[in-house]
Amino acid sequence: MGQPEMRGTSEVPFALEELFYSRTDTRGVIQSGNEIFRRTAGFEWSEMIGAPHKIVRHPDTPRAVFRVLWDAIKEGYPMGAYVKNRAKGGGWYWVFAVVMPIESGYVSVRLKPTSDLSDRIHSFYRELSARERAEALDPGESAGLLRDFAERGGYSNYTAFMAYALALELTERDRRLGRTADENTRMLAELNTAMGRLTKEQFGLLRSFEALQSVPNNMRIVASRLEPSGGPVSAISENYKASSAVISERLRKFVAGRDNLCGQMAYQVARAVFQLGCARVLNEMSENFMGEEAQPSQPSDGHTRDEERTLLQSVVVRGTADANAAMRQAAELADDMMDQSRDLRRQLLGLDTIRVLGRVECGRMRDTNGGLAATIDQLDSFHDDIKGRLEAILSLSEEIEHWLGRYLRAERTAA
């Protein structure tokens, strides 16, 4: 095949149904790839095989993206990313890449991103790349900004964000190709979205409880002006403070800190959703692999095309098994989540009783200007917010458990 024409700085086209494939060693040196990758990048095989994968790296892709990718895959976990690549001659093209570790290195499959999210990513990448250059950010600092971007979007971690992005890209790709909507992909998107909403509610609940801690102190200060030391309102405020502190500490372990229940469940759900999305992409790549006309006949490490396809299929099998294990663990955590939410709701009823006693004392003292009524009103407002969040958490936990159970039942039936 002759040298491709120089394409300047324009976007290099490739079809929506086309998938890129490449395999590298542990250093990121290209061992094999498919013709779509070679054709779009614009290199000859002699230039690509044995070259570092960064041969196609475009400077517009923030270094943070590659730091996050490498952090995950070096630990043995798959990861995804939106990437702007460069072609020989200066052209460029966008892909959504899924990268999975294998025993001898890494495999990556890329698809054409078409969702609305990809447009927002383009804008954010421009800002992040500009900051990397202007502030001389090291990759670790820049990766922190990338993770912050995901968390500001309501995702518990970057894996959850990529799981959502992959499900979104697959759904939009199906729609544009006129394919029947994939039920499993829709389920994965719904599950990940519900998990994001749950995480948001839980951190909102923690913030409400933290804010609540100042109210009993205010009550005690007001009481000191309205009654003798050790009076009933003072006793009520001390009792409320002690009880709410116990609940608040339990809640921190529930949704904050290392290895909290919410974080564990969010991680397992994100891991499962992303792995299953990867398996779907890799499976399609495996099915398409043998139909391509121009594959390097002798990749640098001696794999034949049949062996390359077998390797891909083994990655699909392993990834699906890992995803199913994560789904089962997430289902157990969802059960635990509902039990703990119900227990917190019961404890809140105990706080309600103390709050009502405070309201009764407020009425008995006929407080008109001491501020006790306003303090009790604050408690009412916080309690209403906390009850609403607990109900939302329970409802979302049940929804997540429903999706997890539905998937696992389907898997058992298929097996």
Side-chain angles (χ1 to χ4, degrees):
M1 186 174 293
Q3 182 73 17
E5 86 178 83
M6 303 293 276
R7 285 170 275 199
T9 57
S10 62
E11 182 174 6
V12 180
F14 63 97
L16 184 57
E17 65 270 18
E18 293 184 314
L19 295 175
F20 291 41
Y21 169 76
S22 62
R23 177 170 55 82
T24 72
D25 65 14
T26 54
R27 300 168 300 156
V29 173
I30 299 171
Q31 303 293 301
S32 183
N34 71 339
E35 173 61 15
I36 296 165
F37 175 36
R38 189 214 64 77
R39 185 198 74 220
T40 309
F43 292 92
E44 296 293 345
W45 281 123
S46 59
E47 298 173 290
M48 297 186 76
I49 299 299
H53 210 284
K54 64 183 180 183
I55 193 174
V56 295
R57 182 180 295 185
H58 196 288
D60 285 355
T61 301
R63 291 183 297 162
V65 175
F66 302 107
R67 167 57 68 89
V68 171
L69 268 174
W70 276 103
D71 283 350
I73 61 179
K74 283 194 294 187
E75 291 296 319
Y77 302 113
M79 184 49 72
Y82 287 96
V83 179
K84 184 178 183 180
N85 281 338
R86 75 176 186 92
K88 186 174 182 179
W92 52 268
Y93 55 96
W94 280 95
V95 295
F96 184 89
V98 297
V99 186
M100 298 188 73
I102 57 174
E103 186 175 344
S104 58
Y106 310 100
V107 296
S108 175
V109 177
R110 280 88 77 197
L111 56 86
K112 191 181 189 73
T114 53
S115 74
D116 292 341
L117 176 60
S118 64
D119 293 333
R120 287 196 282 127
I121 289 292
H122 296 177
S123 176
F124 175 69
Y125 276 16
R126 283 193 293 272
E127 295 171 11
L128 185 55
S129 292
R131 284 195 63 178
E132 285 182 343
R133 291 188 292 269
E135 300 173 31
L137 298 177
D138 66 43
E141 292 173 316
S142 186
L145 295 175
L146 183 58
R147 292 186 176 101
D148 288 345
F149 173 79
E151 290 172 11
R152 287 198 307 273
Y155 303 96
S156 56
N157 52 57
Y158 192 75
T159 301
F161 178 47
M162 287 296 97
Y164 169 76
L166 179 54
L168 202 64
E169 293 299 342
L170 288 173
T171 299
E172 181 62 14
R173 185 168 180 265
D174 285 341
R175 187 188 70 79
R176 293 191 182 210
L177 290 174
R179 296 175 176 174
T180 302
D182 182 75
E183 183 61 23
N184 213 31
T185 300
R186 185 182 75 83
M187 181 273 290
L188 296 177
E190 293 281 357
L191 179 59
N192 207 48
T193 298
M195 191 67 238
R197 287 160 51 207
L198 177 64
T199 301
K200 185 176 180 180
E201 288 292 346
Q202 286 169 325
F203 280 100
L205 180 61
L206 181 62
R207 285 194 296 271
S208 291
F209 256 108
E210 296 291 348
L212 188 64
Q213 301 309 299
S214 65
V215 179
N217 292 331
N218 295 339
M219 191 187 301
R220 189 174 65 253
I221 292 168
V222 171
S224 69
R225 297 198 295 264
L226 298 174
E227 64 180 12
S229 177
V233 176
S234 295
I236 287 168
S237 68
E238 288 299 327
N239 194 4
Y240 190 97
K241 182 178 180 180
S243 298
S244 63
V246 170
I247 299 175
S248 184
E249 181 58 30
R250 181 173 178 183
L251 190 61
R252 284 191 197 96
K253 294 177 181 177
F254 186 46
V255 301
R258 189 174 180 83
D259 297 328
N260 68 84
L261 181 60
C262 175
Q264 290 180 60
M265 187 166 120
Y267 171 72
Q268 294 299 340
V269 167
R271 178 178 161 229
V273 169
F274 186 73
Q275 291 258 30
L276 290 170
C278 286
R280 183 185 161 191
V281 173
L282 288 165
N283 198 49
E284 183 178 340
M285 185 70 251
S286 176
E287 290 172 357
N288 294 347
F289 203 78
M290 295 302 290
E292 296 187 359
E293 294 178 2
Q295 171 73 14
S297 58
Q298 192 69 16
S300 62
D301 57 1
H303 277 58
T304 66
R305 194 183 306 184
D306 282 345
E307 289 171 331
E308 204 79 29
R309 189 168 187 263
T310 299
L311 185 150
L312 268 174
Q313 290 171 330
S314 71
V315 176
V316 171
V317 170
R318 190 193 73 202
T320 302
D322 287 347
N324 290 343
M327 284 286 200
R328 287 190 292 272
Q329 192 167 348
E332 292 173 6
L333 291 166
D335 251 354
D336 196 8
M337 181 82 71
M338 287 192 290
D339 288 343
Q340 292 207 32
S341 295
R342 292 187 185 105
D343 197 31
L344 279 167
R345 187 170 59 180
R346 285 192 293 271
Q347 288 183 311
L348 187 63
L349 288 175
L351 274 186
D352 264 338
T353 301
I354 302 172
R355 177 177 60 87
V356 170
L357 287 175
R359 177 68 72 187
V360 170
E361 283 300 316
C362 179
R364 186 184 65 76
M365 297 175 74
R366 302 179 185 279
D367 169 49
T368 56
N369 56 15
L372 183 58
T375 303
I376 299 297
D377 287 343
Q378 270 190 300
L379 283 180
D380 290 347
S381 177
F382 278 123
H383 276 236
D384 287 343
D385 179 66
I386 289 166
K387 286 177 186 175
R389 290 190 184 279
L390 274 172
E391 290 303 319
I393 287 168
L394 271 169
S395 176
L396 285 165
S397 296
E398 289 171 357
E399 181 182 342
I400 288 166
E401 190 180 48
H402 162 76
W403 286 114
L404 290 168
R406 180 174 171 179
Y407 173 82
L408 291 171
R409 284 192 297 273
E411 281 300 300
R412 283 194 296 270
T413 300

